[in-house]
Amino acid sequence: IKSPLVSIVMPVKNEANFIDAAFDHLDDQTYPKHKIEIIVVDGSSTDNTEKIVLRRMKKDKRIKWIPGFWGH
């Protein structure tokens, strides 16, 4: 059986203290990495969440960042 593409959507807001651990847990999954996309949707974070996600994106091409713009 072929493994389907899995999209993981992570809604975040001010998750700088936790987002690295969340990515680490996703990396620990046994599902084929090339079949996973990670979409991070920001809710206008004011901490270092964006900086951390963008740093992780450089190492992991599965991660996509959708910046927050709500309320602006």
Side-chain angles (χ1 to χ4, degrees), residues 7 14 21 25 27 29 38 42 44 47-49 54 59 65 71:
S7 298
N14 297 330
H25 288 297
D27 287 341
Q29 300 303 307
I38 304 165
D42 183 46
S44 298
D47 64 359
N48 286 326
T49 299
L54 295 179
K59 296 187 287 185
W65 171 253

Side-chain angles (χ1 to χ4, degrees), residues 1-58:
I1 297 176
K2 290 186 177 183
S3 301
L5 177 65
V6 172
S7 298
I8 299 169
V9 179
M10 296 174 60
V12 299
K13 183 172 183 179
N14 297 330
E15 298 294 338
N17 293 332
F18 309 102
I19 194 135
D20 270 322
F23 285 131
D24 291 343
H25 288 297
L26 291 174
D27 287 341
D28 291 342
Q29 300 303 307
T30 58
Y31 201 80
K33 291 189 185 319
H34 69 282
K35 292 288 190 167
I36 298 173
E37 69 174 347
I38 304 165
I39 303 166
V40 183
V41 182
D42 183 46
S44 298
S45 293
T46 57
D47 64 359
N48 286 326
T49 299
E50 179 177 7
K51 181 179 177 182
I52 295 166
V53 174
L54 295 179
R55 183 191 77 228
R56 294 291 291 239
M57 284 175 63
K58 290 179 182 179

